[in-house]
Amino acid sequence: MAANAQKWSFRITPIRIFLMLLSLLCVGVIVFRLVTGLGMVTNLSDEWPWGLWIGFDVLCGVALAGGGYGTALIVHVLHKEYFSPIARSAMLTSLLGYLLVMAGLFLDIGQWFNFWRPFVSWGHTSVLFEVFWCVSCYTTVQILEFTEILTERVGTKYHALAVKALPVLMIIGIIFPTLHQSSLGGLYLLMVDKLYPLWWSPIIFFFFLLSSFFVGPAMICVETTLAGKAYDHWIPIPVLRKLIRISGYAMIVYLVLKVFDLVNRGVFNLMFKGNLEGNMFLIELVLGIIVPIIICFSGFSNSRAGLFTFGLLVSGGVVLNRMNVVITGMIRSTGVSYVPSLWEFAVSAGLVAMGILAYCFIVENFKILDHDGHGHAA
Amino acid sequence: MAKGVLVDLTKCVGCGSCTVACKLWNDLKWDPQNPTVGDKVKLNDKNWTVVGRHEVKDKDGTPVWRFVKQQCFHCKEPACASACFAKAFQKTKEGPVIYYPHLCVGCRYCMVACPFNIPKYQWEKTFPLVTKCQMCSTRVAKGEAPACVSVCPAGVFKYGDREALLKEAKSIVAKDPKYVNHIFGEQEVGGTSWLYLSDIPFEQLGFKTNVTHRPLPSFTEKYMQATPYVAITWGAILTGLYHYTKRRNQIAKENNKNIKA
């Protein structure tokens, strides 16, 4: 084994013990759910067939994991080596994100033993078909991409092969997420009479794609700040600042398109109606888009606090947007409200906890943070 | 030719025999909490059709009762079928939209996609299935009317070729001024196999009238058709960029070396 140079390590801290307990609770609920069905564990109903797990675990998870493909595009395809210090951790977060998404999806489907069915029974008119294929292929590609890091320590004789395969994997690994990030929005094209007009749009798929792209650097800011505190490893401010500029421009495009789309469909004024939908939409747009754009192009983004605030606002804004699409925007058409059960929250929190623990373990045992970014990826 | 059912709501007396026939033919359990006839009816996994009672006012302002049979409308271009990623919902050429349980993954996208919220779920089961009215597809395939239609004692239904029924419905509305000038199902989401006539405006009877007249699958058709081309083009662009930027960096490095030397 190649691991004898360095022992496997995993520090135990009070926070980690808490996270482990959360994960344990989550596993318990998962087992219970798989045995008893969805009715006892969730507050889902015929009026609310999709709830927290689809909204948060899947739609938000996929969007927040969008940092991976954006970074891959910038570092490995456009060869902006300036950003390579963040490449590995961004892609690791993305991989873990997708694994959690797969877990969330698996939990949410009723006939879970039948999950493979769309591989043989091609419902190719469905946007979900595209989501299904892309998410499963992309997760596979990401695992393969990770072998480049993995084989630095385990199974080192395959390392050369992994490095050689990387460019091809990177390109495939950008095509898939581009397709399905937009498809997740595309799912809602059918809900033309159900989703509130502030969110439903004939180009909702493009809004989903664009927001998954600009949330990437924001997540990297949050992640590197937390990792910086935990491991005393700081990514230089100018690197992050330049990175979020890319987000900033994408967000300006998003804002302009959004306003244009709303005006074009004659529903612009709906956001000032003072109802639940209007207010939630305003929060999403002001705190999640406009304020971060100001931070991004002002001097505030020249500080760690500024970068962290930017990251939190943008990530929070995208989470709010996805939850608004899945829940807030659908309340009016279902006529009933939906509050997730305690168990649904427990599972979502537990999945996130597992993700954090896995991240910590991998960071402590593989070259993720102190990677100089040169000499790999051809 | 695609079959359909014409429902004349003015004739329904709310006896509920159609709901009994449905349970018997499809072997569905009785649900004590959710009756199939009355004020508090609700479609669910055991009730594929229900008859709701509505207290409304007619044109002269006199309070009247109207009974509305609900079930799947069997859209001409069903959103559920276009939404299903495993082909568990399929539209047959005779008209019914059928569910194939063995293909179902249980994602419930059909439920979210249906403009009329028809598909229901077996929430209390470990391995739940989606359920909905199948328009007694095996009967229809044999040329027989659906079970509910065949038992109606009040002559509410007419079963036959959809286009012929639509023509007939139009002439009824034109001849008899008691009917509202709206055939529900003619244009809703591009047309449905079940067509309704009424003397009370449909929105007062709980119908979802504010739906698009465009077939729902058309909202995603172009998107899905474009996907392979987008994938290929995007892949080509990325590959091109990959080689271009790599070469550019190399040249830049070499130039730097030359300057240093």
Side-chain angles (χ1 to χ4, degrees):
Chain A
M1 281 295 286
N4 46 16
Q6 180 202 347
K7 273 186 189 158
W8 297 101
S9 72
F10 192 69
R11 273 189 297 137
I12 298 295
T13 63
I15 294 178
R16 289 186 188 185
I17 290 175
F18 173 70
L19 291 175
M20 281 181 209
L21 287 176
L22 257 182
S23 313
L24 216 64
L25 173 69
C26 171
V27 171
V29 180
I30 288 174
V31 171
F32 188 72
R33 172 262 169 275
L34 292 179
V35 173
T36 65
L38 288 158
M40 285 174 80
V41 177
T42 68
N43 277 353
L44 296 175
S45 64
D46 285 335
E47 287 74 32
W48 283 101
W50 281 4
L52 183 72
W53 290 350
I54 290 285
F56 182 75
D57 301 3
V58 178
L59 288 185
C60 293
V62 168
L64 297 182
Y69 85 98
T71 317
L73 175 68
I74 294 163
V75 176
H76 295 294
V77 171
L78 301 179
H79 291 100
K80 303 262 183 216
E81 283 170 20
Y82 184 69
F83 294 116
S84 51
I86 46 124
R88 283 194 164 188
S89 64
M91 292 172 73
L92 172 64
T93 319
S94 186
L95 168 65
L96 294 172
Y98 271 85
L99 290 174
L100 296 179
V101 166
M102 299 284 269
L105 262 180
F106 185 73
L107 275 185
D108 203 77
I109 58 174
Q111 308 276 316
W112 45 266
F113 53 86
N114 221 3
F115 75 93
W116 49 271
R117 190 63 79 171
F119 282 126
V120 291
S121 180
W122 285 24
H124 57 80
T125 54
S126 171
V127 181
L128 193 61
F129 181 71
E130 186 175 320
V131 173
F132 174 80
W133 271 87
C134 289
V135 171
S136 24
C137 292
Y138 184 45
T139 310
T140 315
V141 168
Q142 287 201 94
I143 292 170
L144 291 175
E145 283 174 0
F146 185 70
T147 56
E148 191 237 345
I149 297 170
L150 187 76
T151 51
E152 284 172 0
R153 210 178 149 181
V154 183
T156 39
K157 60 182 170 180
Y158 297 110
H159 185 63
L161 182 71
V163 170
K164 217 171 175 182
L166 205 57
V168 180
L169 289 175
M170 286 291 172
I171 288 173
I172 300 173
I174 294 167
I175 298 172
F176 281 128
T178 316
L179 293 180
H180 78 241
Q181 292 283 1
S182 53
S183 296
L184 285 171
L187 289 177
Y188 280 82
L189 285 171
L190 280 177
M191 278 67 118
V192 55
D193 299 312
K194 289 180 142 189
L195 183 59
Y196 199 72
L198 282 173
W199 291 286
W200 189 89
S201 155
I203 53 165
I204 185 173
F205 58 89
F206 193 67
F207 289 131
F208 265 59
L209 176 64
L210 207 53
S211 52
S212 80
F213 180 74
F214 67 63
V215 79
M219 271 304 277
I220 291 168
C221 285
V222 176
E223 182 203 327
T224 52
T225 309
L226 296 177
K229 281 210 176 104
Y231 300 106
D232 199 29
H233 173 274
W234 297 99
I235 304 284
I237 290 179
V239 173
L240 290 175
R241 197 172 185 218
K242 218 170 158 185
L243 188 70
I244 69 164
R245 277 287 160 92
I246 301 174
S247 267
Y249 289 118
M251 287 164 80
I252 291 174
V253 174
Y254 180 90
L255 184 64
V256 170
L257 256 179
K258 193 99 204 173
V259 171
F260 176 78
D261 172 61
L262 292 173
V263 172
N264 197 29
R265 288 184 294 118
V267 294
F268 186 77
N269 288 329
L270 283 183
M271 69 172 100
F272 304 112
K273 267 183 94 175
N275 56 9
L276 176 71
E277 288 91 347
N279 292 340
M280 292 297 268
F281 183 82
L282 278 180
I283 296 174
E284 177 193 318
L285 204 66
V286 173
L287 288 183
I289 304 285
I290 296 172
V291 175
I293 289 178
I294 297 169
I295 294 178
C296 176
F297 292 100
S298 72
F300 189 39
S301 62
N302 216 354
S303 63
R304 296 263 174 223
L307 290 168
F308 191 55
T309 316
F310 173 87
L312 282 182
L313 283 176
V314 176
S315 319
V318 170
V319 169
L320 185 61
N321 170 258
R322 301 304 195 257
M323 296 314 280
N324 278 341
V325 167
V326 178
I327 296 177
T328 319
M330 299 291 273
I331 290 175
R332 205 163 289 264
S333 64
T334 55
V336 191
S337 62
Y338 157 81
V339 179
S341 73
L342 199 61
W343 304 117
E344 288 176 79
F345 280 116
V347 167
S348 292
L351 287 177
V352 174
M354 283 185 223
I356 298 173
L357 288 173
Y359 178 88
C360 292
F361 176 78
I362 295 171
V363 160
E364 282 163 30
N365 290 284
F366 292 94
K367 268 201 281 183
I368 305 290
L369 293 178
D370 56 352
H371 180 67
D372 61 1
H374 296 287
H376 79 285
Chain B
M1 288 295 265
K3 298 293 178 191
V5 178
L6 178 61
V7 187
D8 188 337
L9 292 179
T10 62
K11 291 182 180 167
C12 182
V13 294
C15 70
S17 51
C18 50
T19 69
V20 177
C22 176
K23 293 240 183 205
L24 292 174
W25 181 261
N26 295 300
D27 204 11
L28 298 171
K29 291 240 158 57
W30 298 97
D31 185 357
Q33 272 98 46
N34 296 291
T36 54
V37 186
D39 298 329
K40 291 189 181 112
V41 295
K42 216 174 146 215
L43 291 176
N44 65 16
D45 59 328
K46 297 176 203 82
N47 298 341
W48 289 4
T49 184
V50 294
V51 176
R53 190 179 67 120
H54 295 260
E55 289 188 38
V56 286
K57 289 199 172 105
D58 69 4
K59 277 174 194 157
D60 314 321
T62 330
V64 289
W65 285 359
R66 285 292 174 270
F67 301 95
V68 178
K69 180 181 184 292
Q70 301 172 34
Q71 77 293 307
C72 172
F73 292 103
H74 298 274
C75 304
K76 280 169 85 176
E77 294 183 51
C80 57
S82 91
C84 182
F85 68 157
K87 289 197 153 178
F89 278 103
Q90 292 178 29
K91 173 91 176 166
T92 61
K93 62 179 190 316
E94 291 97 4
V97 178
I98 315 181
Y99 172 67
Y100 295 96
H102 69 285
L103 295 175
C104 182
V105 176
C107 71
R108 309 184 295 285
Y109 185 32
C110 50
M111 301 174 70
V112 191
C114 174
F116 304 112
N117 299 317
I118 296 298
K120 304 294 176 196
Y121 211 52
Q122 298 171 325
W123 292 103
E124 71 278 21
K125 293 209 173 158
T126 301
F127 298 119
L129 293 169
V130 176
T131 65
K132 77 167 190 68
C133 156
Q134 312 261 53
M135 207 171 152
C136 296
S137 61
T138 48
R139 290 175 62 97
V140 170
K142 280 190 284 179
E144 291 168 28
C148 56
V149 168
S150 68
V151 298
C152 180
V156 174
F157 309 108
K158 190 146 192 196
Y159 169 77
D161 179 60
R162 182 193 184 265
E163 299 315 310
L165 290 174
L166 185 60
K167 230 183 240 171
E168 192 182 332
K170 278 181 181 165
S171 76
I172 292 173
V173 171
K175 269 184 223 148
D176 194 336
K178 81 171 172 185
Y179 291 101
V180 293
N181 188 18
H182 180 184
I183 300 161
F184 191 92
E186 181 190 4
Q187 288 175 329
E188 278 73 14
V189 295
T192 63
S193 299
W194 283 63
L195 302 163
Y196 280 72
L197 291 175
S198 170
D199 59 341
I200 307 287
F202 284 101
E203 48 275 15
Q204 291 180 34
L205 298 174
F207 281 79
K208 252 184 109 173
T209 47
N210 57 343
V211 291
T212 174
H213 286 181
R214 213 176 119 183
L216 287 168
S218 71
F219 282 91
T220 50
E221 239 159 41
K222 282 202 190 91
Y223 179 83
M224 286 307 289
Q225 279 165 2
T227 301
Y229 302 104
V230 171
I232 292 166
T233 317
W234 188 215
I237 293 173
L238 288 173
T239 313
L241 282 173
Y242 173 83
H243 288 293
Y244 169 72
T245 52
K246 191 177 161 189
R247 176 102 184 103
R248 194 184 55 187
N249 283 4
Q250 259 170 9
I251 291 171
K253 264 179 209 158
E254 275 160 24
N255 285 347
N256 283 348
K257 269 182 213 156
N258 291 343
I259 293 163
K260 271 177 208 159

